[in-house]
Amino acid sequence: MSNQGYEQELGSERAHLSFLYAHLEAAREAAARRATDAVSLWERDVAVRFTEQEVRRLKGADDGLCFGRLDERTGERRYIGRIGLFEDDYEPLLLDWRAPAARPFYCATGANPEGMRRRRQFHTIGRRLVEFTDELLEGETDVDGTALHAALDAPRDGVMRDIVATIQAEQDEIIRLEHPGVVVIEGGPGTGKTAVALHRVAYLLYTKRNLLARSGVLVIGPNPRFLGYIDRVLPSLGETDVVFATPADLFPGLRPTAEETPEAREIKGSSAMVHVLREAIADRQRLPERPIMVELDDVTVPVDAELVRPALRRARATGLPHNEARSHFWSWLEEAFVERAVDMIGENWLLPDEWLRNDLVQDVTAELVAGRLLERAVDQMWPQLSPYQLLRDLFTSPERLDVAAPFLRDALYRADGEAWTISDVALLDEATELLGQHTTRDLVDEREFAEGVLEILNMEDDDGETLRAEDVLTASELAERHGERDTRALAERAASDRDWTYGHVVVDEAQELSEMDWRMLMRRCPRRSFTIVGDLAQRESPAGARDWGDMLAPHVHDRWEYRALTTNYRTPAEIMAVAAEVLAEVDPAARPPRSVRAKGIRPWARQVSDLGAAVARAVRETSGSVAVIAPAGVDVGLPTMTPRESKGLEFDSVIVVEPAQIGSASDLYVALTRATQRLGVVHTGPLPATLRGLEPRHDMVPGRWAW
């Protein structure tokens, strides 16, 4: 195409994009009108919430609304974008990238053009079309990857961009995978596994809208920094019914702040802790060590082990959670107590007449219930427990630990009962399941109120016939209407509700999750619909996964799909060559992902005496985003992050500090693979053997010291 022809085509495409944006604005205005047209207050609340969600979806699509065009061999054109736009007669103006008709945009090749003649890719900034590139799909045409390489070389600004315009065929196959259950996506650094998982969520929300719109999607990341890095991707694709959380966020109200030893972390992450918690609860269901004396008007009755044992055995046999079985224990203990009390009274003065005994049983029962005389005894033998109380009492008591976990006492004991750690979150969640809920008095009170209202509403009409409110409204329905209607957005409601169950869950850096973490997550998704993303070679946690099959078997057996990503889109070949030496130490059998590009910039290392000054200079003399990754406790006078905190992130440049002090080879591998352009290493002592191939830097020329 000549320059003049290109400019004419560019102008034509710009005009078409303006036309599409006009339709986007019209869609926003139509969404806003839905709220004003609502009649009732409840309809208005629902309409406003829907409008807010729809406006967010349309706003997310504003930047780079349309990113390409497909030309069919028949002469028809398909414009591909973030969302779908339609004419009034539902003729498509813009195809949603997730629609089946848009798939050739990502998968068509010269060898398999799928009925397409040309693929045109747009490069836009905001609403402005800057340029386009064409790829002919007739014959064995080579793909130059112009759009992909431009995206890879673009500066990083601290947030993940969507890859919707540059999805590659191997990624698209996973995104559109129709497997309804668990899908494991494994890939080394820079393979785009996180982006693929998020785009898969967007695809599932598009294809299974009716199912997922009611329950939402949960995205689990390793830390808040990572969640902040990825949280714009789904809104940019028009999806907002998503909750972003770390495992520590899954027990609302708890904010873990304490650290623990690797040994404690490994023990608490093991599924053996389920047995420990059960034993800790059983220890709270106990016989009295000495009789508890309960005074009635006529006699004092001892509550001893002989009286309690049958009630304890029967309550345990119900199989109910601890708190829910408490009322059964209380009821059976009450029966035994009344029988003993009546026998004791009868020995003193009761006549053998049966009617006197029946009256006495009623009197003793009434006295017992009115005064709640057994409550103190029940509290000692079968106390109502909260998850916090159970774990606090367990971890701060060597005696209780000796009963529940005699061989783990030293590792689990702590003096501060409020020193909650991240590993405690899954234990609190498990304890909630084992303990069950407290009494639901609020619901009972609401229903009693509703029944009273219905009784007042019952009245006779002029013909003497009773008009009953129950004919048109039940007490439960009225109780629900009496309660305050929750009009919050789905994501907000789900995030605050521990019992919320999601339609789909994404787990990133999944190799770090423990067996107890997985039990907690499986409760959040009874459908077992998961996209699991990870890299076993990057595992840092001693409680994390060593094999996907072993980790998933207790929950889904072998009913899961595995997909691997092998192409590195982030890390230049020069940096990956260095990281590969470290990977060989982590796992000699592991193969590093293949980098799609080289930058011609060799990674370097410099040994210094003044660590802070050297790092500060390296930061000053680079451009773009830069991260300083250092071991915990190493101070360089600048903001740093540990390898664990850098998981999943990427930066234009990375400076790794004191690599010999980084705890493990897997952590060092993570640190080395965060850079998209440049890598430098600053150290005071000898380098690890795996890094001795780095180019040493000694020059002191300003502006050329590092990069």
Side-chain angles (χ1 to χ4, degrees), residues 465-507:
E465 294 185 0
T466 300
L467 176 63
R468 299 186 58 80
E470 290 93 333
D471 294 337
V472 293
L473 186 66
T474 67
S476 296
E477 290 171 339
L478 182 58
E480 288 182 9
R481 295 191 183 188
H482 177 66
E484 182 178 352
R485 191 177 297 277
D486 193 343
T487 59
R488 293 176 298 170
L490 182 145
E492 187 178 358
R493 286 182 285 130
S496 63
D497 185 354
R498 182 238 166 218
D499 295 324
W500 191 279
T501 56
Y502 296 87
H504 190 77
V505 177
V506 175
V507 186

mmCIF file of all heavy atoms in Angstrom, residues 465-507:
data_model
loop_
_atom_site.group_PDB
_atom_site.id
_atom_site.type_symbol
_atom_site.label_atom_id
_atom_site.label_comp_id
_atom_site.label_asym_id
_atom_site.label_seq_id
_atom_site.Cartn_x
_atom_site.Cartn_y
_atom_site.Cartn_z
ATOM 1 N N GLU A 465 -67.154 -12.751 56.630
ATOM 2 C CA GLU A 465 -66.107 -13.712 56.309
ATOM 3 C C GLU A 465 -64.748 -13.148 56.702
ATOM 4 O O GLU A 465 -64.505 -11.949 56.592
ATOM 5 C CB GLU A 465 -66.118 -14.042 54.812
ATOM 6 C CG GLU A 465 -67.371 -14.769 54.366
ATOM 7 C CD GLU A 465 -67.279 -15.182 52.919
ATOM 8 O OE1 GLU A 465 -66.229 -14.881 52.297
ATOM 9 O OE2 GLU A 465 -68.220 -15.794 52.412
ATOM 10 N N THR A 466 -63.917 -14.041 57.180
ATOM 11 C CA THR A 466 -62.606 -13.603 57.641
ATOM 12 C C THR A 466 -61.654 -13.443 56.453
ATOM 13 O O THR A 466 -61.480 -14.367 55.659
ATOM 14 C CB THR A 466 -62.009 -14.612 58.628
ATOM 15 O OG1 THR A 466 -62.894 -14.729 59.738
ATOM 16 C CG2 THR A 466 -60.638 -14.157 59.110
ATOM 17 N N LEU A 467 -61.076 -12.279 56.366
ATOM 18 C CA LEU A 467 -60.035 -12.030 55.365
ATOM 19 C C LEU A 467 -58.696 -12.213 56.056
ATOM 20 O O LEU A 467 -58.342 -11.444 56.951
ATOM 21 C CB LEU A 467 -60.140 -10.609 54.810
ATOM 22 C CG LEU A 467 -59.039 -10.199 53.825
ATOM 23 C CD1 LEU A 467 -59.113 -11.079 52.581
ATOM 24 C CD2 LEU A 467 -59.171 -8.732 53.465
ATOM 25 N N ARG A 468 -57.971 -13.243 55.678
ATOM 26 C CA ARG A 468 -56.725 -13.567 56.369
ATOM 27 C C ARG A 468 -55.529 -13.094 55.548
ATOM 28 O O ARG A 468 -55.431 -13.353 54.359
ATOM 29 C CB ARG A 468 -56.623 -15.077 56.608
ATOM 30 C CG ARG A 468 -57.751 -15.617 57.482
ATOM 31 C CD ARG A 468 -57.535 -17.081 57.804
ATOM 32 N NE ARG A 468 -56.259 -17.309 58.493
ATOM 33 C CZ ARG A 468 -56.077 -17.085 59.811
ATOM 34 N NH1 ARG A 468 -57.057 -16.610 60.551
ATOM 35 N NH2 ARG A 468 -54.911 -17.327 60.359
ATOM 36 N N ALA A 469 -54.622 -12.397 56.251
ATOM 37 C CA ALA A 469 -53.429 -11.889 55.567
ATOM 38 C C ALA A 469 -52.574 -13.029 55.028
ATOM 39 O O ALA A 469 -51.902 -12.900 54.014
ATOM 40 C CB ALA A 469 -52.607 -11.035 56.534
ATOM 41 N N GLU A 470 -52.625 -14.206 55.740
ATOM 42 C CA GLU A 470 -51.819 -15.342 55.290
ATOM 43 C C GLU A 470 -52.220 -15.844 53.908
ATOM 44 O O GLU A 470 -51.486 -16.582 53.267
ATOM 45 C CB GLU A 470 -51.930 -16.499 56.297
ATOM 46 C CG GLU A 470 -51.221 -16.217 57.621
ATOM 47 C CD GLU A 470 -52.176 -15.614 58.648
ATOM 48 O OE1 GLU A 470 -53.166 -14.965 58.213
ATOM 49 O OE2 GLU A 470 -51.938 -15.763 59.849
ATOM 50 N N ASP A 471 -53.436 -15.454 53.482
ATOM 51 C CA ASP A 471 -53.879 -15.880 52.155
ATOM 52 C C ASP A 471 -53.026 -15.273 51.052
ATOM 53 O O ASP A 471 -52.966 -15.798 49.938
ATOM 54 C CB ASP A 471 -55.346 -15.501 51.935
ATOM 55 C CG ASP A 471 -56.271 -16.276 52.871
ATOM 56 O OD1 ASP A 471 -55.862 -17.361 53.338
ATOM 57 O OD2 ASP A 471 -57.377 -15.776 53.127
ATOM 58 N N VAL A 472 -52.407 -14.132 51.359
ATOM 59 C CA VAL A 472 -51.624 -13.449 50.321
ATOM 60 C C VAL A 472 -50.180 -13.221 50.725
ATOM 61 O O VAL A 472 -49.355 -12.850 49.898
ATOM 62 C CB VAL A 472 -52.260 -12.087 49.951
ATOM 63 C CG1 VAL A 472 -53.596 -12.293 49.276
ATOM 64 C CG2 VAL A 472 -52.412 -11.207 51.193
ATOM 65 N N LEU A 473 -49.823 -13.446 52.013
ATOM 66 C CA LEU A 473 -48.481 -13.109 52.479
ATOM 67 C C LEU A 473 -48.121 -13.989 53.663
ATOM 68 O O LEU A 473 -48.884 -14.081 54.623
ATOM 69 C CB LEU A 473 -48.431 -11.636 52.902
ATOM 70 C CG LEU A 473 -47.072 -11.054 53.297
ATOM 71 C CD1 LEU A 473 -46.147 -11.033 52.084
ATOM 72 C CD2 LEU A 473 -47.246 -9.653 53.853
ATOM 73 N N THR A 474 -46.976 -14.671 53.610
ATOM 74 C CA THR A 474 -46.533 -15.502 54.728
ATOM 75 C C THR A 474 -45.698 -14.677 55.690
ATOM 76 O O THR A 474 -45.194 -13.599 55.349
ATOM 77 C CB THR A 474 -45.691 -16.687 54.242
ATOM 78 O OG1 THR A 474 -44.458 -16.187 53.708
ATOM 79 C CG2 THR A 474 -46.427 -17.492 53.184
ATOM 80 N N ALA A 475 -45.535 -15.219 56.908
ATOM 81 C CA ALA A 475 -44.727 -14.517 57.910
ATOM 82 C C ALA A 475 -43.282 -14.364 57.448
ATOM 83 O O ALA A 475 -42.646 -13.330 57.666
ATOM 84 C CB ALA A 475 -44.781 -15.274 59.242
ATOM 85 N N SER A 476 -42.742 -15.394 56.797
ATOM 86 C CA SER A 476 -41.356 -15.316 56.328
ATOM 87 C C SER A 476 -41.182 -14.226 55.283
ATOM 88 O O SER A 476 -40.201 -13.476 55.290
ATOM 89 C CB SER A 476 -40.911 -16.666 55.751
ATOM 90 O OG SER A 476 -40.910 -17.651 56.754
ATOM 91 N N GLU A 477 -42.174 -14.122 54.370
ATOM 92 C CA GLU A 477 -42.091 -13.085 53.335
ATOM 93 C C GLU A 477 -42.169 -11.701 53.959
ATOM 94 O O GLU A 477 -41.450 -10.782 53.562
ATOM 95 C CB GLU A 477 -43.213 -13.276 52.323
ATOM 96 C CG GLU A 477 -43.032 -14.512 51.447
ATOM 97 C CD GLU A 477 -44.262 -14.808 50.612
ATOM 98 O OE1 GLU A 477 -45.366 -14.334 50.982
ATOM 99 O OE2 GLU A 477 -44.136 -15.503 49.599
ATOM 100 N N LEU A 478 -43.058 -11.550 54.960
ATOM 101 C CA LEU A 478 -43.164 -10.252 55.615
ATOM 102 C C LEU A 478 -41.898 -9.918 56.390
ATOM 103 O O LEU A 478 -41.452 -8.775 56.415
ATOM 104 C CB LEU A 478 -44.373 -10.231 56.548
ATOM 105 C CG LEU A 478 -44.634 -8.899 57.278
ATOM 106 C CD1 LEU A 478 -44.831 -7.777 56.267
ATOM 107 C CD2 LEU A 478 -45.841 -9.021 58.183
ATOM 108 N N ALA A 479 -41.308 -10.941 57.024
ATOM 109 C CA ALA A 479 -40.068 -10.714 57.756
ATOM 110 C C ALA A 479 -38.973 -10.232 56.825
ATOM 111 O O ALA A 479 -38.191 -9.334 57.163
ATOM 112 C CB ALA A 479 -39.630 -12.003 58.458
ATOM 113 N N GLU A 480 -38.916 -10.826 55.617
ATOM 114 C CA GLU A 480 -37.914 -10.394 54.647
ATOM 115 C C GLU A 480 -38.163 -8.951 54.221
ATOM 116 O O GLU A 480 -37.233 -8.159 54.077
ATOM 117 C CB GLU A 480 -37.945 -11.306 53.424
ATOM 118 C CG GLU A 480 -37.386 -12.695 53.685
ATOM 119 C CD GLU A 480 -37.398 -13.545 52.435
ATOM 120 O OE1 GLU A 480 -37.674 -12.977 51.349
ATOM 121 O OE2 GLU A 480 -37.139 -14.751 52.531
ATOM 122 N N ARG A 481 -39.428 -8.589 54.021
ATOM 123 C CA ARG A 481 -39.741 -7.218 53.600
ATOM 124 C C ARG A 481 -39.477 -6.232 54.724
ATOM 125 O O ARG A 481 -39.132 -5.081 54.482
ATOM 126 C CB ARG A 481 -41.201 -7.127 53.161
ATOM 127 C CG ARG A 481 -41.495 -7.948 51.913
ATOM 128 C CD ARG A 481 -42.864 -7.631 51.341
ATOM 129 N NE ARG A 481 -43.148 -8.461 50.197
ATOM 130 C CZ ARG A 481 -44.211 -8.293 49.418
ATOM 131 N NH1 ARG A 481 -45.082 -7.337 49.672
ATOM 132 N NH2 ARG A 481 -44.406 -9.099 48.387
ATOM 133 N N HIS A 482 -39.681 -6.719 55.999
ATOM 134 C CA HIS A 482 -39.430 -5.834 57.131
ATOM 135 C C HIS A 482 -37.946 -5.511 57.251
ATOM 136 O O HIS A 482 -37.558 -4.433 57.670
ATOM 137 C CB HIS A 482 -39.936 -6.505 58.419
ATOM 138 C CG HIS A 482 -39.676 -5.707 59.662
ATOM 139 N ND1 HIS A 482 -40.281 -4.497 59.900
ATOM 140 C CD2 HIS A 482 -38.872 -5.969 60.727
ATOM 141 C CE1 HIS A 482 -39.879 -4.034 61.075
ATOM 142 N NE2 HIS A 482 -39.018 -4.908 61.588
ATOM 143 N N GLY A 483 -37.081 -6.483 56.870
ATOM 144 C CA GLY A 483 -35.651 -6.243 56.940
ATOM 145 C C GLY A 483 -35.209 -5.265 55.861
ATOM 146 O O GLY A 483 -35.888 -5.044 54.868
ATOM 147 N N GLU A 484 -34.062 -4.700 56.085
ATOM 148 C CA GLU A 484 -33.532 -3.713 55.133
ATOM 149 C C GLU A 484 -33.018 -4.425 53.890
ATOM 150 O O GLU A 484 -32.263 -5.391 53.975
ATOM 151 C CB GLU A 484 -32.396 -2.932 55.790
ATOM 152 C CG GLU A 484 -31.818 -1.845 54.897
ATOM 153 C CD GLU A 484 -30.721 -1.060 55.587
ATOM 154 O OE1 GLU A 484 -30.528 -1.266 56.795
ATOM 155 O OE2 GLU A 484 -30.067 -0.257 54.915
ATOM 156 N N ARG A 485 -33.439 -3.971 52.730
ATOM 157 C CA ARG A 485 -33.015 -4.592 51.482
ATOM 158 C C ARG A 485 -31.596 -4.154 51.139
ATOM 159 O O ARG A 485 -31.266 -2.973 51.202
ATOM 160 C CB ARG A 485 -33.970 -4.198 50.351
ATOM 161 C CG ARG A 485 -33.772 -5.006 49.084
ATOM 162 C CD ARG A 485 -34.804 -4.601 48.054
ATOM 163 N NE ARG A 485 -36.146 -4.889 48.504
ATOM 164 C CZ ARG A 485 -36.732 -6.078 48.396
ATOM 165 N NH1 ARG A 485 -36.061 -7.082 47.881
ATOM 166 N NH2 ARG A 485 -37.965 -6.261 48.818
ATOM 167 N N ASP A 486 -30.754 -5.120 50.809
ATOM 168 C CA ASP A 486 -29.353 -4.847 50.498
ATOM 169 C C ASP A 486 -29.235 -4.492 49.025
ATOM 170 O O ASP A 486 -29.449 -5.327 48.151
ATOM 171 C CB ASP A 486 -28.504 -6.077 50.816
ATOM 172 C CG ASP A 486 -27.014 -5.768 50.812
ATOM 173 O OD1 ASP A 486 -26.636 -4.725 50.251
ATOM 174 O OD2 ASP A 486 -26.250 -6.560 51.372
ATOM 175 N N THR A 487 -28.911 -3.242 48.755
ATOM 176 C CA THR A 487 -28.812 -2.789 47.367
ATOM 177 C C THR A 487 -27.362 -2.574 46.935
ATOM 178 O O THR A 487 -27.102 -1.948 45.923
ATOM 179 C CB THR A 487 -29.599 -1.477 47.172
ATOM 180 O OG1 THR A 487 -29.071 -0.478 48.062
ATOM 181 C CG2 THR A 487 -31.075 -1.687 47.464
ATOM 182 N N ARG A 488 -26.416 -3.075 47.723
ATOM 183 C CA ARG A 488 -25.017 -2.931 47.341
ATOM 184 C C ARG A 488 -24.706 -3.753 46.095
ATOM 185 O O ARG A 488 -25.400 -4.716 45.774
ATOM 186 C CB ARG A 488 -24.107 -3.392 48.483
ATOM 187 C CG ARG A 488 -24.138 -2.528 49.721
ATOM 188 C CD ARG A 488 -23.276 -3.129 50.812
ATOM 189 N NE ARG A 488 -23.781 -4.448 51.212
ATOM 190 C CZ ARG A 488 -23.114 -5.292 52.005
ATOM 191 N NH1 ARG A 488 -21.914 -4.961 52.459
ATOM 192 N NH2 ARG A 488 -23.639 -6.460 52.335
ATOM 193 N N ALA A 489 -23.630 -3.353 45.396
ATOM 194 C CA ALA A 489 -23.195 -4.111 44.222
ATOM 195 C C ALA A 489 -22.799 -5.522 44.643
ATOM 196 O O ALA A 489 -22.404 -5.762 45.788
ATOM 197 C CB ALA A 489 -22.025 -3.408 43.547
ATOM 198 N N LEU A 490 -22.890 -6.456 43.697
ATOM 199 C CA LEU A 490 -22.620 -7.854 44.006
ATOM 200 C C LEU A 490 -21.232 -8.039 44.608
ATOM 201 O O LEU A 490 -21.082 -8.756 45.608
ATOM 202 C CB LEU A 490 -22.770 -8.694 42.734
ATOM 203 C CG LEU A 490 -22.557 -10.199 42.885
ATOM 204 C CD1 LEU A 490 -23.475 -10.970 41.967
ATOM 205 C CD2 LEU A 490 -21.102 -10.592 42.591
ATOM 206 N N ALA A 491 -20.222 -7.434 44.023
ATOM 207 C CA ALA A 491 -18.854 -7.626 44.517
ATOM 208 C C ALA A 491 -18.717 -7.147 45.953
ATOM 209 O O ALA A 491 -18.022 -7.771 46.763
ATOM 210 C CB ALA A 491 -17.864 -6.886 43.612
ATOM 211 N N GLU A 492 -19.381 -6.046 46.304
ATOM 212 C CA GLU A 492 -19.302 -5.523 47.667
ATOM 213 C C GLU A 492 -19.992 -6.456 48.645
ATOM 214 O O GLU A 492 -19.504 -6.707 49.751
ATOM 215 C CB GLU A 492 -19.930 -4.128 47.716
ATOM 216 C CG GLU A 492 -19.745 -3.420 49.041
ATOM 217 C CD GLU A 492 -20.345 -2.029 49.046
ATOM 218 O OE1 GLU A 492 -20.866 -1.601 47.998
ATOM 219 O OE2 GLU A 492 -20.308 -1.377 50.106
ATOM 220 N N ARG A 493 -21.161 -6.983 48.261
ATOM 221 C CA ARG A 493 -21.877 -7.911 49.138
ATOM 222 C C ARG A 493 -21.076 -9.197 49.332
ATOM 223 O O ARG A 493 -20.973 -9.717 50.446
ATOM 224 C CB ARG A 493 -23.250 -8.225 48.542
ATOM 225 C CG ARG A 493 -24.251 -7.091 48.658
ATOM 226 C CD ARG A 493 -25.602 -7.493 48.092
ATOM 227 N NE ARG A 493 -25.609 -7.507 46.638
ATOM 228 C CZ ARG A 493 -26.053 -8.504 45.886
ATOM 229 N NH1 ARG A 493 -26.517 -9.598 46.466
ATOM 230 N NH2 ARG A 493 -26.033 -8.425 44.574
ATOM 231 N N ALA A 494 -20.517 -9.712 48.253
ATOM 232 C CA ALA A 494 -19.788 -10.975 48.329
ATOM 233 C C ALA A 494 -18.541 -10.845 49.197
ATOM 234 O O ALA A 494 -18.232 -11.737 49.990
ATOM 235 C CB ALA A 494 -19.411 -11.436 46.925
ATOM 236 N N ALA A 495 -17.816 -9.741 49.061
ATOM 237 C CA ALA A 495 -16.561 -9.569 49.788
ATOM 238 C C ALA A 495 -16.767 -9.520 51.294
ATOM 239 O O ALA A 495 -15.870 -9.880 52.063
ATOM 240 C CB ALA A 495 -15.855 -8.300 49.310
ATOM 241 N N SER A 496 -17.945 -9.094 51.743
ATOM 242 C CA SER A 496 -18.199 -8.948 53.179
ATOM 243 C C SER A 496 -18.879 -10.169 53.782
ATOM 244 O O SER A 496 -19.162 -10.180 54.979
ATOM 245 C CB SER A 496 -19.071 -7.712 53.424
ATOM 246 O OG SER A 496 -20.340 -7.860 52.797
ATOM 247 N N ASP A 497 -19.135 -11.191 52.986
ATOM 248 C CA ASP A 497 -19.913 -12.342 53.439
ATOM 249 C C ASP A 497 -19.056 -13.598 53.372
ATOM 250 O O ASP A 497 -18.751 -14.105 52.292
ATOM 251 C CB ASP A 497 -21.158 -12.497 52.562
ATOM 252 C CG ASP A 497 -22.095 -13.593 53.047
ATOM 253 O OD1 ASP A 497 -21.734 -14.313 53.997
ATOM 254 O OD2 ASP A 497 -23.189 -13.725 52.467
ATOM 255 N N ARG A 498 -18.684 -14.121 54.526
ATOM 256 C CA ARG A 498 -17.838 -15.310 54.563
ATOM 257 C C ARG A 498 -18.525 -16.521 53.933
ATOM 258 O O ARG A 498 -17.873 -17.422 53.388
ATOM 259 C CB ARG A 498 -17.463 -15.612 56.015
ATOM 260 C CG ARG A 498 -16.533 -16.824 56.174
ATOM 261 C CD ARG A 498 -17.163 -17.863 57.067
ATOM 262 N NE ARG A 498 -16.450 -19.128 56.946
ATOM 263 C CZ ARG A 498 -17.040 -20.304 56.963
ATOM 264 N NH1 ARG A 498 -18.336 -20.394 57.093
ATOM 265 N NH2 ARG A 498 -16.335 -21.407 56.840
ATOM 266 N N ASP A 499 -19.841 -16.566 53.981
ATOM 267 C CA ASP A 499 -20.584 -17.718 53.468
ATOM 268 C C ASP A 499 -20.953 -17.594 51.994
ATOM 269 O O ASP A 499 -21.625 -18.476 51.450
ATOM 270 C CB ASP A 499 -21.868 -17.910 54.285
ATOM 271 C CG ASP A 499 -21.577 -18.278 55.729
ATOM 272 O OD1 ASP A 499 -20.602 -19.019 55.955
ATOM 273 O OD2 ASP A 499 -22.292 -17.807 56.626
ATOM 274 N N TRP A 500 -20.523 -16.519 51.338
ATOM 275 C CA TRP A 500 -20.846 -16.336 49.918
ATOM 276 C C TRP A 500 -20.172 -17.427 49.100
ATOM 277 O O TRP A 500 -19.008 -17.767 49.317
ATOM 278 C CB TRP A 500 -20.364 -14.971 49.451
ATOM 279 C CG TRP A 500 -20.870 -14.591 48.094
ATOM 280 C CD1 TRP A 500 -20.364 -14.991 46.897
ATOM 281 C CD2 TRP A 500 -21.978 -13.746 47.794
ATOM 282 N NE1 TRP A 500 -21.081 -14.438 45.866
ATOM 283 C CE2 TRP A 500 -22.083 -13.667 46.388
ATOM 284 C CE3 TRP A 500 -22.887 -13.033 48.572
ATOM 285 C CZ2 TRP A 500 -23.052 -12.915 45.747
ATOM 286 C CZ3 TRP A 500 -23.861 -12.282 47.934
ATOM 287 C CH2 TRP A 500 -23.944 -12.222 46.546
ATOM 288 N N THR A 501 -20.897 -17.989 48.144
ATOM 289 C CA THR A 501 -20.300 -18.965 47.232
ATOM 290 C C THR A 501 -20.284 -18.387 45.824
ATOM 291 O O THR A 501 -21.260 -17.793 45.370
ATOM 292 C CB THR A 501 -21.082 -20.295 47.239
ATOM 293 O OG1 THR A 501 -22.455 -20.053 46.914
ATOM 294 C CG2 THR A 501 -20.989 -20.952 48.593
ATOM 295 N N TYR A 502 -19.168 -18.575 45.141
ATOM 296 C CA TYR A 502 -18.927 -17.964 43.835
ATOM 297 C C TYR A 502 -19.155 -18.973 42.716
ATOM 298 O O TYR A 502 -19.032 -20.184 42.898
ATOM 299 C CB TYR A 502 -17.493 -17.440 43.759
ATOM 300 C CG TYR A 502 -17.202 -16.324 44.732
ATOM 301 C CD1 TYR A 502 -16.782 -16.586 46.029
ATOM 302 C CD2 TYR A 502 -17.359 -14.993 44.357
ATOM 303 C CE1 TYR A 502 -16.515 -15.563 46.926
ATOM 304 C CE2 TYR A 502 -17.092 -13.966 45.247
ATOM 305 C CZ TYR A 502 -16.684 -14.255 46.522
ATOM 306 O OH TYR A 502 -16.431 -13.237 47.412
ATOM 307 N N GLY A 503 -19.461 -18.430 41.542
ATOM 308 C CA GLY A 503 -19.631 -19.276 40.371
ATOM 309 C C GLY A 503 -18.313 -19.746 39.794
ATOM 310 O O GLY A 503 -18.245 -20.816 39.172
ATOM 311 N N HIS A 504 -17.250 -18.960 40.000
ATOM 312 C CA HIS A 504 -15.931 -19.318 39.473
ATOM 313 C C HIS A 504 -14.873 -18.644 40.339
ATOM 314 O O HIS A 504 -15.086 -17.543 40.857
ATOM 315 C CB HIS A 504 -15.782 -18.865 38.018
ATOM 316 C CG HIS A 504 -14.551 -19.400 37.345
ATOM 317 N ND1 HIS A 504 -14.458 -20.694 36.889
ATOM 318 C CD2 HIS A 504 -13.352 -18.815 37.063
ATOM 319 C CE1 HIS A 504 -13.259 -20.880 36.338
ATOM 320 N NE2 HIS A 504 -12.579 -19.754 36.436
ATOM 321 N N VAL A 505 -13.737 -19.319 40.494
ATOM 322 C CA VAL A 505 -12.635 -18.787 41.298
ATOM 323 C C VAL A 505 -11.345 -18.892 40.500
ATOM 324 O O VAL A 505 -11.048 -19.936 39.913
ATOM 325 C CB VAL A 505 -12.482 -19.547 42.629
ATOM 326 C CG1 VAL A 505 -11.282 -19.014 43.418
ATOM 327 C CG2 VAL A 505 -13.752 -19.423 43.472
ATOM 328 N N VAL A 506 -10.590 -17.800 40.485
ATOM 329 C CA VAL A 506 -9.251 -17.775 39.899
ATOM 330 C C VAL A 506 -8.243 -17.732 41.042
ATOM 331 O O VAL A 506 -8.378 -16.916 41.957
ATOM 332 C CB VAL A 506 -9.048 -16.548 38.987
ATOM 333 C CG1 VAL A 506 -7.613 -16.491 38.483
ATOM 334 C CG2 VAL A 506 -10.018 -16.587 37.827
ATOM 335 N N VAL A 507 -7.260 -18.591 40.999
ATOM 336 C CA VAL A 507 -6.212 -18.609 42.025
ATOM 337 C C VAL A 507 -4.875 -18.388 41.335
ATOM 338 O O VAL A 507 -4.420 -19.231 40.556
ATOM 339 C CB VAL A 507 -6.195 -19.944 42.791
ATOM 340 C CG1 VAL A 507 -5.195 -19.864 43.947
ATOM 341 C CG2 VAL A 507 -7.579 -20.288 43.315
#
